[in-house]
Amino acid sequence: MSNNGFEPRIVAFMCNWCTYAAADTAGVSRMQQPPNVDVVRVMCTGRVDPAFILKTLALGADGVLVSGCHPGQCHYEKGNLNARRRVTALKPFLDAVGIGQDRLRLEWIAASEAPKVAEVVAEFTETIKRLGPSPFRRRQDED
Amino acid sequence: MTEQYRADVLICTCPACTKAGAPEMQHALKAEVERRGLAGEVRLVETGSRGFCSMGPVVIIRPEGILYCQVHDVDVPELVEETLVKGRIVERLTYKEPETHKAIPHYDEIPFYDKQMRVVTRNCGLINPQNIEEYIAVGGYQALGKVLTSMAPKEIIEEVKKSGLRGRGGAGFPTGRKWEFTRNAPGDVKYLVANGDEGDPGAFMDRSLMEGDPHAILEGMTIGAYAMGAHKGYLYVRDEYPLALRNLNIAMEQAREYGLLGQGILGSSFDFDVQIVRGAGAFVCGEETALLASVEGHAGNPRPRPPYPAQSGLWGKPTNINNVKTWANIPVVISRGADWFNQIGTETSKGTMIFSLVGKVNNTGLVEVPMGITLRELVFDVGGGMRDGKQFKAVQTGGPSGGCIPEELLDLPVDYEHLKEAGSIMGSGGMIVMDENACMVDIARYFLDFLKDESCGKCTPCREGIRQMLSILTRITEGQGEMGDLQVLETLAPVVKEASLCGLGQTAPNPVLSTLRYFRDEYVTHIVDHKCPAGVCKELIEYYVIEDLCTGCGVCRRKCPQEAISGEKKEVHVIDPALCIKCGVCFDVCKFDAVGVR
Amino acid sequence: MATLIIDRQEVHAEEGQTILEVAKENGIEIPTLCYHPLLEPYGACRLCVVEIVAGGRLGLQTACTYPIEEGLEVLTRSPSVIEARKVVLGLLLSRTPNVELIQDLAREYGITEPPFPTDTPDERCILCGHCVRTCHELVKAYVLNFSERGIERRVGPPFLEKTRDCIGCGACTIMCPTGAIETVLEKEAVYKAKPLGPTSAIWVPSMQAIPNVPVIDTDVCIRFRQNDRTEGEIVDACGACQMVCEADAINFDQQDEILELDVGTVIVATGFEMWDPAQLSQYSYGKSPNIITGLEFERLSNAGGITAGEILTAEEKKPEAVAIIHCVGSRDHNAHEYCSRFCCMYSLKQAHLVRDKTDAQVYEFYMDMRTFGSGYEEFYERVQKEEGILMVRGRGAEVSVLEPQNGQKYGKLRVKGEDADLGRPVRVDVDMVVLSSAIEAPHDADEIASMFGLSRKPDGFFAEAHPKMRPVETNTDGVFLAGVTQGPKDVPDTVAHAGAAASMALALMDKGEVTISPQTAVVDEILCAGCKTCISLCPYTAISFIEEIDEKGVARVNEALCKGCGTCAAACPSGAITARHFTDQQILAQIEGLFRVPA
């Protein structure tokens, strides 16, 4: 289980209206969650270019989380549907290049679902811990 | 055609004669005529009834005008031999006067016909109703021709008014005035209806007319349609008259073929056609508004009047309803004229009336007499007097809703007003003659029982009132009556009469009221003495053997279903009242009149 | 116009009127049974007979059917009329000796006992035909009719068999003057005794309804039901309301009007619905008409309600004991977890009202008293001290319906709970139970949400932009929330909330200009390849295709419409679109920043 203190670095692209607000609430409510996630706020998950995800992984992230409003509730109507399509298209590529699609997760978290933020973060952190460090990861401790 | 025939043999095919054996006799006649090689000289004609129903099967031979009674197939060879070949009269087949037993072979000399004036039934029994040419030959459709070529509708109505003809269905409303209402009612669509429902039990005047001379009705209706501006007529015939329905249908088809019905009648621009609607077994559908409801497809419930059918009838349109007998009067009124017509009858009731004279008279059947004839003449002359020498007690006129008229009123002239004053009605023409063996309380009860079943049940006085009156009368006939019952009847009956919705309820109390008026003592005897003087009410009578007359033949003992009679051969028999169920079989079978009722 | 004489006085009448109608107009009483103003005259009972002495068909005629004519002379109480009415009533009383209506009428004419032997003591039908005529003329279902004739005459469906053609409208039951007909609902129907609901298909919901006019419930109204049921064949059934409306104000043909308005601000004030207590079967809601919700109690005690404000049980008697149970469906893991906020106050008020209007003993079952507002605590103390009100601190756990006793129609109600202060179970038998039941978001809240881009909170009510700082705004500019739509609140709070929403909306409108976010997208027309990918993706149709620029046509963003989601920027294969303030460079810089090795 514990990989000698391997602490995953996860970057989460969160949409401003739903998941970011939920994360904010989770924080304010002092909901417990592991500290492994760094947040990049976008206005809508539709803004997330697959290039960003690849860049993030290339720079050494162990996992990428893309999270936004539930389909049908996107603040911009259907931006999240584009995100879904892009993530779905990207996943086989990640498998093909040996990164593994499990390092990319798409999740829908509404603004009222603060507990779910904590849950998902905890779960995904566990998943990445099990998967181990990303093949791209620089051994920072070596530097 | 008929030129080569030297004799017509008219055979009555009405249901009564049919039941008595007319078809077999007719079959035999045909065979015998052929056998004797007379087929080209003697014509056999099937006709409707000439009214002499107790004498059926009836055969009339023309041109002599001989009437033979109760002719059966076994009589045929003699009839053909004697009368058709040799021109002689077969006395045993002729009518015999009841008292003198004198033979009267010619039909226009028979007293039964002597006092009659057969206007409406002019053709019944004399023509073949299934052949329109016979109707035309005796002057049929002349009136229609006259109307369409030379009379305006208003003139026709004036003529009918002048004739004084009143509705023959029972109410007796002046026909001409009724026609005028319908004519004057606003609207282009108008209907005519002929009421052939004849619900009175045992009545058969309308039936004989529809069977025996259907064209008379059709012609009358067509004339009426022209006068009132109607183009569609309905003939409402009760379903229990299959022969009438058949003959009417044949008549309608033939009339259409001959251009006397349908489009462009007699080449004019006038259209009129008739449709038959069959009744479904309800006495109340003889009431005009109930009849209209039935034609419309609803249950036969009467509707309040006003508005009258002349304003709002079938489907809300002006409708003129007349009884079939009334319609059959019309051609005569037109062809012989109102002045001729209104010479017949009394001041208020013009023309003739057809009665079914039945009951305890010698000559039962259909008679047509001028209005104003007295009851005495009807019973004793036309009817040939009381049967079996019994005493006259009462005559019930007008059907089940009529009243009973006692002996002291025998000289009453028969017309609408007099009958009403006497507490009865003209009705459709029923006339039931009763002798001393009729119990007036039971008669009233019997008719109320009929009316209770036939009431439509819509209005309170009729439905509940008849029920209660019947219950009281039943109690009285069972010996459970109380003196207070008479007061109750006399309170209830007038209200039922005054407040009921239709004629059924309004006339239902007549039997009760008239018997109470003329035979009150009989009611009292039932209530106080627990006796039935006429020996009818089972609970109150006793059958006993008249010792002086009993010969001990034992027939009654053997026939008694309860074995209540005992006695040795050749010794006076005795009836045990405890076992006797009052079935009356012993009374009927005793050849010595040794069984009495008290 | 015609002149006729009734009871020796001259009256005037219009053509087409009947004697009965004219008599009524002139204050002359004529008794009737089979007559009904909505139905065609029938003339069957014969009770309304009057005597025509001149000018028409002489003798006794029914006033309800006889059309007036000029010169008619009528007597409405002549000896023969009175005699006839006596006999008719005597006959009817003998037929239906236990029908109160007939007994009363007969007594007026001096008849106290059935004058004829009566063998049908249980008969209630007087064959007046109201039911049949209603079914034919008004409802137009043509189900009921008379069968048989004479004394066998009876009312029923064809062959006296149940038929699917009966629409169960109950009109026959309502029209029957003697209570001879019962409408029986079949098993599948969920029967809820609703004594406080509408009494007919057309009704004014309450005295304070705005607008204060009747409405027709088209699910119940016979006319609409027949129209739907027969697919437009029968379009004119009933219409009784239109017949009697003197202002001619009823229009069955009204259609929903769809109004299209262009607005810049929307205030959502869609309120709440009562949660259905039948969902928790331990409260037995629906099993007795004496178990009602708090809202139903409000209706009951309202002076404009069906009891004119009296507190009465379904047997129309004042209760001797009433239980009020708090938190039914609120604060409940099996129903709604949240608190409905205002029930404590109204429950106390209702207890107080019960004591004011009756002498009933009141049991108030509560968990906590949430009487937080101005003067609320003081009110609570006052009610606590009031005589006849017993406060039980413990949740009312169960309400059961007991068997009816002593000829009652409905059984008493047994409430079980716990008195937590005393640590003892409590059981009381009462005549009426008021459930202070939860409120919840309306059933169509999701539809409203997607219409206006709203999201719902866990409690189901619409989400405000910020729980502390922005209570009336939503995440969508220009859309505001007012009142309970945003969460349970009582009247003063609702007024404040709504006032705030109104002010913010006004402020927005008043500005005349709208400031828009600078976060918009812009197309570099040189880089743009004219592929049109972005155009189809934009949910606001903010991008249009401009022909003939550079021979290929380019996309161009309308900044007023653009909301700045950035989808187009992410999709552009040429990288020609910049999402201002969330540019690729900015985001990539963020990502890089996360992984920069510290110097």
Side-chain angles (χ1 to χ4, degrees), chain C residues 340-342 345 372-373 376 484 487-496:
Chain C
S340 294
R341 194 169 167 115
F342 51 73
M345 271 309 282
F372 46 83
Y376 289 13
V484 180
K489 45 180 78 67
D490 57 10
V491 173
D493 289 349
T494 302
V495 173

Side-chain angles (χ1 to χ4, degrees), chain B residues 169-170 199-203 205 283 355-356 395-404 424-432 434 443 446-448 450-451 507-508 510-511 514:
Chain B
D200 292 1
M205 300 68 80
F283 172 76
F355 292 103
S356 67
V395 59
Q396 210 251 9
T397 73
S401 318
C404 299
S424 182
I425 55 171
M426 179 75 78
S428 194
M431 207 151 275
I432 306 176
M434 299 171 210
I443 295 285
Y446 173 79
F447 286 121
L448 271 182
F450 172 77
L451 291 166
T507 54
N510 285 347
S514 66

Side-chain angles (χ1 to χ4, degrees), chain B residues 92-147:
Chain B
R92 79 177 172 80
L93 291 176
T94 61
Y95 172 76
K96 311 280 190 317
E97 217 157 37
E99 306 264 302
T100 63
H101 299 284
K102 177 165 163 247
I104 307 181
H106 290 96
Y107 112 110
D108 48 11
E109 285 165 11
I110 299 174
F112 179 73
Y113 289 108
D114 182 40
K115 293 240 161 151
Q116 291 193 38
M117 190 174 180
R118 295 187 84 97
V119 172
V120 180
T121 54
R122 52 196 176 278
N123 300 323
C124 294
L126 296 182
I127 61 165
N128 178 356
Q130 294 181 1
N131 185 349
I132 190 176
E133 298 206 343
E134 296 210 4
Y135 180 73
I136 295 173
V138 294
Y141 288 110
Q142 293 284 337
L144 179 59
K146 179 176 172 189
V147 152

Side-chain angles (χ1 to χ4, degrees), chain C residues 410-557:
Chain C
Y410 302 105
K412 269 175 122 68
L413 306 162
R414 177 160 291 173
V415 181
K416 286 195 188 143
E418 185 206 356
D419 188 331
D421 286 343
L422 296 175
R424 273 209 324 240
V426 168
R427 189 186 78 184
V428 287
D429 288 349
V430 297
D431 302 307
M432 181 187 282
V433 170
V434 182
L435 303 172
S436 306
S437 39
I439 63 163
E440 57 183 14
H443 63 278
D444 55 357
D446 277 334
E447 280 170 54
I448 310 279
S450 53
M451 252 191 261
F452 296 104
L454 305 172
S455 40
R456 294 173 73 179
K457 296 184 288 202
D459 61 8
F461 295 94
F462 292 129
E464 61 277 22
H466 192 277
K468 287 190 186 180
M469 304 307 291
R470 303 171 67 195
V472 291
E473 296 160 85
T474 64
N475 281 334
T476 309
D477 286 348
V479 177
F480 302 98
L481 300 172
V484 180
T485 197
Q486 179 263 338
K489 45 180 78 67
D490 57 10
V491 173
D493 289 349
T494 302
V495 173
H497 197 259
S503 317
M504 297 210 74
L506 272 172
L508 192 62
M509 289 191 289
D510 201 47
K511 267 194 254 189
E513 295 174 333
V514 182
T515 36
I516 56 173
S517 163
Q519 287 170 4
T520 53
V522 61
V523 178
D524 183 337
E525 291 181 3
I526 298 171
L527 288 176
C528 175
C531 72
K532 299 189 193 170
T533 304
C534 58
I535 292 175
S536 53
L537 285 178
C538 178
Y540 303 101
T541 58
I543 312 181
S544 32
F545 191 67
I546 310 297
E547 307 270 1
E548 289 155 27
I549 299 256
D550 245 2
E551 293 156 3
K552 59 175 158 57
V554 296
R556 190 176 289 169
V557 177

Side-chain angles (χ1 to χ4, degrees), chain B residues 305 308 453 455 457 459 499, chain C residues 44-46 57 95 149-150 153:
Chain B
R305 297 175 298 172
Y308 295 92
D453 284 335
S455 163
C459 78
Chain C
C45 70
R46 317 306 287 178
R57 196 171 178 199
R95 180 193 164 88
R149 71 176 176 228
R153 188 175 172 93

